[in-house]
Each structure stands twice: as structure tokens, then as C-alpha cells.
């Protein structure tokens, strides 16, 4: 017998689970499909390797879903300051004091208690999946994957790899960068593979959790520090990110724990606290990808299924949550108006909001990537001057901070127009 629902969401990751929870709480019948079993956060002292910098805008959305308190009961770490600095050493570096090639964003400058929170993905996922599965009308299908997708007069039938059919008015692809739903819907992507990869490591250091996260830029890529929770032995945990060429990261992963910590301590800025233990490490490739369209024939994409960006500022998951919130709002309005959830005008409106916003963030991250990943003396001097100037123009700093926090939805018009005038997507089609 075919299960009939309003919306089929494929992908029970953070974005898919958030959308399922929001729709389920709003009275929709939802099928939530994922090949992985539900999350089971065990709360060990060592943190999950995967963490995200959740913006203030994301916090507001998760509070509306009723999951923020559950996340706080597990653990999350607020940060009040964010520092960006150019750590490239070059003969021209002597023209400026080292401290001037840096800008620091402080939540107190915009009257906020914090800029955001560093949260383990396992914590966010546990809270969102629990909320989704406790919402009326949400049915979970775990341990299965999409096998076929067929259009009907009323919507679509998704057949799972165990042979089970599910019929829904709308199918949502929230199944990540390698989205099976996107492929079944025939939606192509533009993709650009970066030369760098990212190594992430959970490390312990002496002292209480810090209230600052920072990124130090090098020609081979940035090195970042993200504070996490206090450890059981009285120290604190942090997540470190080291962007570099695959060969360099491969050598780092082959070091024993003591050798790895020594290499990190030597390569990172002096601001890095003294490291006392390694909790785990791993690496992943970096790519920018954008779907050619966000919806097609009753299928709509959210999160990484629609777009992936360079993770320099940790904005990827925040963009995904913005997708989920925007789509949820439009589906609720469609029901109030008596329209089909797959109505083209509704989905066009969703794409018209989200595609430009996502593209602006993609371009902004690429500007940082290309401007800082080189040793060219003129660019080295220009970016140091730019960081120094940014640190001395309070209004500009506050505006950028509010945008990154998700408080303001748009960049200042001059900057937004400048980004839109940059060359288009230099990406191959897949």
C-alpha cells in the first residue's frame, strides 16, 4: 500500500530535520527519509569532529522550532568576538605592524551578547531529529534510500530501495551535495573543486573556554580556532581547521598525536593556547557547487543539495537553515491560500529569494579565498591595508557583522552591487 503524505523530505540531516519539524508542527503530513539511522548523541567528553558556527539568525529560527533549549541542555559555546588576520609573511610585511593586518568583530559593538555559537553537529542533529519525530504527522523512514521517482497527476511517487512507495504532493531534496533526489529530478549543477582540502581536529587546551573564534590566513589557506565546551579535567576543548594542499594534510594525519599537536602549535598563531590532548582528526575536500535550478516538476532543493560554498566563514549550514525557513513559510502560505504545495509560482518565489542570497555568500567567500591564497606583494599589502581600514571603520564593521549574524538579510547596497558585478560562475557543468 502506498503511503500518502503532503511532503516527502529526503535527507534527515540538520536542514532536512529542521524543515520536517517545522512542517510537522504546522499540521503537514511529512515523510522523512534517510539512509542513516537516527542520531544518537552520547555526550562523551571529546567533541564531535563536525562543528558549525551557528549565527544569531539561525538561533532565532531554532528557538521557533523549540529545539534551542534541548541543544543548550546538551552543550553549545557562545562566542563574543571574531578575529580575521593576514598571517602571510613577506618582505612587504615590514611596512605595517603585524597587529594592523587584522580586524576584530565584537558583539558589544552592535549591542548583542554574542555573535553566534559553536555547536557540534551531533548536538544540533539530535535536537532537530527528536523534534521532527515528535511532531504530529511526521513519519520516519530510516535505513533506506530513494530508488526511483515518478510524476503523477497529483504529485510524485518516490520508491525506496526496499521497494516501498511513498506518494507526496512535493518532494524535497535535503540529501546533501551528492543529492540522489536532485539526480532523479534531472537537475544539473555547476561545480568547482578547490585545490585545498580542510583538516579538522578536536584538541584540548588549558584554561576555560575562550569567547573568541579566529581565522589566520596563509597562502596555502586559513587556519582557524573555534572554542568548544569545558572538558571534564578542568581544561577546554576546541575545534581547529587547517586548510592546505592534500599532500600536506596527508603528512599531518600520519603523525602521532604528540607530533601532530607540536606541528599545529608551531604553525598556528601565537594566540593558540597550549594544547594538551588530541580528541580526533579528519579531512575533507572543498568544493563550490550550485544547482542550475532549485525546483523542477514537483521537486525542490534545500541546503547542500542546492548549494555548497567554501567553508571559510562557516556559513554553509546557516544558508541551509535559511532555505528551510523560507520554504516552510511559503508552503504554509500556499496551504492557507488553497494552492498546491508544488505550485510553480510558490516554488519560483522561494528560488527568487534564496538563489541571489546564496550566490552573494558564495561570491564573498570566493573573494576571500582568492585574495588571501597567494603571496603576490601588491595583494598582500592591499589586504593588510583593507583589514586595518575595516578595523577602524565602526559602521562598516557593524554592518558586516549584522549580515554575517543573520540579523540583516542584505549586505549594504554598494557591496552587494560589487559582488553581483564579479565574473559569473567559472564552473564546469555536471
Amino acid at each position: 500500500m502506498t503511503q500518502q503524505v503532503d511532503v516527502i523530505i529526503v535527507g534527515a540531516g540538520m536542514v532536512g530535520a529542521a524543515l520536517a519539524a517545522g512542517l510537522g508542527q504546522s499540521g503537514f503530513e511529512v515523510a522523512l527519509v534517510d539512509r542513516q539511522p537516527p542520531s544518537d548523541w552520547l555526550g562523551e567528553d571529546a567533541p564531535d569532529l563536525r562543528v558549525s558556527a551557528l549565527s544569531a539568525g539561525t538561533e532565532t529560527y531554532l528557538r521557533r522550532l523549540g529545539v534551542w533549549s534541548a541543544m543548550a541542555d546538551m552543550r553549545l559555546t557562545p562566542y563574543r568576538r571574531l578575529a580575521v588576520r593576514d598571517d602571510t609573511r613577506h618582505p612587504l610585511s615590514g611596512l605595517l605592524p603585524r597587529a594592523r593586518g587584522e580586524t576584530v568583530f565584537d558583539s558589544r559593538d552592535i549591542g548583542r551578547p554574542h555573535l553566534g555559537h559553536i555547536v557540534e553537529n551531533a548536538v544540533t542533529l539530535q535536537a532537530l531529529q527528536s523534534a521532527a519525530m515528535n511532531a504530529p504527522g511526521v513519519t520516519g523512514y530510516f535505513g533506506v534510500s530513494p530508488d526511483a521517482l515518478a510524476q503523477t497527476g497529483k504529485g510524485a511517487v518516490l520508491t525506496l530501495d526496499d521497494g516501498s512507495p511513498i506518494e507526496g504532493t512535493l518532494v524535497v531534496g535535503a540529501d546533501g551535495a551528492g543529492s540522489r533526489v536532485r539526480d532523479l529530478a534531472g537537475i544539473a549543477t555547476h561545480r568547482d573543486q578547490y585545490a585545498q582540502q580542510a583538516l579538522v581536529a578536536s584538541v584540548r587546551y588549558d584554561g576555560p573556554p575562550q569567547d573568541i573564534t579566529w581565522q589566520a590566513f596563509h597562502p596555502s589557506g586559513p587556519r582557524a580556532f573555534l572554542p568548544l565546551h569545558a572538558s571534564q579535567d578542568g581544561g577546554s576543548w576546541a575545534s581547529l581547521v587547517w586548510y592546505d594542499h592534500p599532500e600536506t594534510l596527508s603528512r599531518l594525519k600520519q603523525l602521532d598525536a604528540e607530533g601532530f599537536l607540536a606541528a599545529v602549535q608551531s604553525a598556528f598563531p601565537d594566540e593558540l593556547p597550549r594544547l594538551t590532548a588530541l580528541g580526533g582528526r579528519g579531512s575533507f575536500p572543498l568544493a563550490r557547487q550550485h544547482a542550475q535550478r532549485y525546483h523542477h516538476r514537483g521537486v525542490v532543493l534545500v541546503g547542500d543539495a542546492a548549494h555548497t560554498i567554501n567553508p571559510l566563514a562557516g556559513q554553509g549550514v546557516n544558508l541551509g537553515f535559511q532555505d528551510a525557513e523560507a520554504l516552510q513559510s511559503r508552503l504554509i502560505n500556499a496551504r492557507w491560500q488553497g494552492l498546491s504545495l508544488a505550485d510553480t509560482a510558490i516554488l519560483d518565489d522561494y528560488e527568487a529569494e534564496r538563489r541571489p542570497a546564496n550566490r552573494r555568500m558564495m561570491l564573498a567567500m570566493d573573494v576571500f579565498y582568492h585574495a588571501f591564497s597567494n603571496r603576490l606583494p601588491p595583494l598582500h599589502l592591499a589586504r593588510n591595508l583593507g583589514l586595518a581600514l575595516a578595523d577602524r571603520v565602526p559602521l562598516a564593521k557593524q554592518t558586516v557583522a549584522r549580515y554575517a549574524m543573520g540579523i540583516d538579510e542584505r549586505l549594504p547596497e554598494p557591496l552587494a552591487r560589487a559582488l553581483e558585478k564579479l565574473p559569473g560562475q567559472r564552473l564546469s557543468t555536471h
Side-chain angles (χ1 to χ4, degrees), residues 50-52 54 71 75-76 117-121 123-124:
R50 301 169 303 157
V51 306
S52 297
L54 301 185
M71 293 166 59
R75 58 195 184 206
L76 43 77
H117 290 79
I118 309 298
V119 188
E120 297 157 75
N121 288 6
V123 168
T124 307

Side-chain angles (χ1 to χ4, degrees), residues 238-251:
S239 178
L240 303 182
V241 189
W242 185 332
Y243 299 79
D244 216 311
H245 298 291
E247 299 79 12
T248 300
L249 300 188
S250 178
R251 290 194 296 270

Side-chain angles (χ1 to χ4, degrees), residues 359-380:
R359 183 174 183 274
R360 281 193 298 272
M361 187 62 75
M362 286 175 144
L363 290 173
M365 293 304 99
D366 268 9
V367 167
F368 267 93
Y369 174 84
H370 293 295
F372 283 90
S373 297
N374 63 78
R375 293 182 183 274
L376 295 176
L379 273 179
H380 179 261

Side-chain angles (χ1 to χ4, degrees), residues 19 29 96 101 128 147-148 157 162 226 231 304 306 320-321 329 373 396:
L19 181 59
E29 294 291 325
L96 284 171
L128 284 168
D147 185 59
V157 174
D162 66 355
L226 299 87
S231 64
D304 285 356
F321 283 133
S329 173
S373 297

Side-chain angles (χ1 to χ4, degrees), residues 145-149 158-162 180 184:
S145 299
D147 185 59
L149 179 66
L158 184 74
T159 303
L160 305 178
D161 57 6
D162 66 355
R180 173 65 172 156
L184 290 173

Side-chain angles (χ1 to χ4, degrees), residues 264-304:
V264 168
Q265 202 83 61
S266 174
F268 273 57
D270 295 339
E271 287 82 358
L272 182 69
R274 187 179 72 84
L275 306 180
T276 59
L278 174 66
R281 54 183 156 167
S283 64
F284 56 90
L286 304 177
R288 184 181 78 165
Q289 180 173 284
H290 210 180
Q292 291 186 351
R293 56 175 69 181
Y294 281 17
H295 72 92
H296 182 55
R297 299 182 63 197
V299 174
V300 63
L301 306 177
V302 296
D304 285 356

Side-chain angles (χ1 to χ4, degrees), residues 9 12-14 16-25 30 32 65 67 125-140 142:
I9 300 175
M14 293 185 286
L19 181 59
L23 292 177
Q25 293 167 3
V30 178
L32 183 60
L65 293 178
V67 302
L125 185 59
Q126 170 74 19
L128 284 168
Q129 286 188 349
S130 177
M133 297 314 301
N134 286 322
V138 177
T139 302
F142 292 94

Side-chain angles (χ1 to χ4, degrees), residues 53-73:
L54 301 185
S55 68
T58 289
E59 177 184 347
T60 299
Y61 175 50
L62 297 181
R63 284 186 182 278
R64 283 201 293 267
L65 293 178
V67 302
W68 191 259
S69 59
M71 293 166 59
D73 287 343

